[in-house]
Amino acid sequence: MATIAEFRLSADDSALGSAFDDVPSLTCEMEQVIAANDLGMWMSGADRSTIEAALEADPSVDDYSEVTGDDDRWLYNIEFGDDVTDLFSMVVEEGGTLLTASATNGLWTVRIRFEDREDASRIYDQMKERNVHADLLRLHELSTDTADEIGLTPEQYEALTAAINHGYFEIPRDASMEELADKLDISHQALSERLRRAYRTLVTTELDIEMEGDEQFLESD
């Protein structure tokens, strides 16, 4: 059964360690939808020039480009060096799919979906062998009971599990949004809304964020 593992990694041993040393207030969150080989990262905690200077000096970063931003946070496409991409490749080779990643105070919290618990255990052992300091924070199976506990509707759970099973979250994707919608016999727009609402529920639950009344998404279908 699909298993979700949550790890905490030292940035010094993984990615952007130098940037966090240079800018201790830096926060970073992976863009939820990955559409390219580069990783989209929302960055905040300092002004843009300070963040970009830290990215420029960080040896784990090969290249970066700004995508969009506002007054206090910016989205960058970041091309990481071999050490970081090798770490991602190791996860993929063990059948893992990176679901979320965020960092603050020099520590990354990452959530990875595996086909079973043994795959998660192997990744943990391999990280230790690579001298990547990692703590396993949580390990649980993705089930309908789990979905109920975190507030997913049956439709959102169905959309997420179908996306996982058909490789929608893989890099590159094994199925497009249109193909996934066809498999579920719903419209592209309906699937997009279900996934976005499911993402929001997962993120607010895992990060313990309170959602204001009008901002809360409800689904009745």
Side-chain angles (χ1 to χ4, degrees):
M1 181 176 290
T3 297
I4 306 297
E6 183 174 329
F7 296 97
R8 181 169 292 157
L9 311 177
S10 167
D12 288 335
D13 299 334
S14 52
L16 300 178
S18 171
F20 281 101
D21 288 341
D22 292 343
V23 188
S25 59
L26 182 66
T27 63
C28 184
E29 183 177 348
M30 185 183 76
E31 190 179 22
Q32 290 178 0
V33 179
I34 303 174
N37 291 331
D38 298 344
L39 289 182
M41 293 285 178
W42 284 101
M43 312 196 80
S44 59
D47 60 70
R48 184 173 64 180
S49 61
T50 300
I51 290 173
E52 292 184 357
L55 291 175
E56 190 74 33
D58 195 300
S60 69
V61 176
D62 279 356
D63 198 10
Y64 69 90
S65 60
E66 182 186 348
V67 178
T68 188
D70 51 35
D71 291 338
D72 57 8
R73 69 171 193 157
W74 297 269
L75 175 63
Y76 293 94
N77 274 340
I78 300 181
E79 180 183 341
F80 286 104
D82 290 343
D83 288 344
V84 179
T85 55
D86 285 348
L87 188 60
F88 286 135
S89 297
M90 180 183 70
V91 171
V92 173
E93 288 168 2
E94 291 294 341
T97 299
L98 183 62
L99 300 179
T100 64
S102 59
T104 186
N105 296 324
L107 293 171
W108 283 95
T109 300
V110 299
R111 297 177 73 248
I112 306 172
R113 190 270 302 174
F114 296 97
E115 292 185 3
D116 53 50
R117 286 175 176 259
E118 287 73 20
D119 293 336
S121 297
R122 282 195 295 271
I123 283 293
Y124 180 69
D125 291 340
Q126 289 185 45
M127 285 192 289
K128 290 173 62 178
E129 290 173 3
R130 290 170 177 249
N131 295 317
V132 175
H133 179 74
D135 294 319
L136 179 60
L137 302 180
R138 183 187 295 183
L139 188 67
H140 63 86
E141 294 178 343
L142 182 61
S143 65
T144 53
D145 289 339
T146 303
D148 289 340
E149 290 172 2
I150 62 179
L152 291 175
T153 68
E155 293 79 13
Q156 291 166 3
Y157 173 77
E158 178 188 38
L160 277 177
T161 54
I164 289 171
N165 291 334
H166 293 289
Y168 177 73
F169 294 119
E170 301 296 333
I171 307 174
R173 288 175 177 158
D174 294 333
S176 67
M177 178 78 75
E178 291 79 6
E179 291 170 335
L180 193 57
D182 287 343
K183 293 180 184 297
L184 293 172
D185 195 25
I186 59 176
S187 69
H188 175 281
Q189 181 63 27
L191 175 59
S192 176
E193 291 178 0
R194 287 182 188 181
L195 288 176
R196 285 191 290 108
R197 290 168 178 173
Y199 296 155
R200 186 177 179 85
T201 297
L202 289 172
V203 170
T204 53
T205 299
E206 292 299 322
L207 299 182
D208 194 24
I209 298 172
E210 292 186 7
M211 299 190 329
E212 297 179 1
D214 289 343
E215 292 298 318
Q216 208 165 9
F217 287 108
L218 301 177
E219 184 167 26
S220 58
D221 62 342

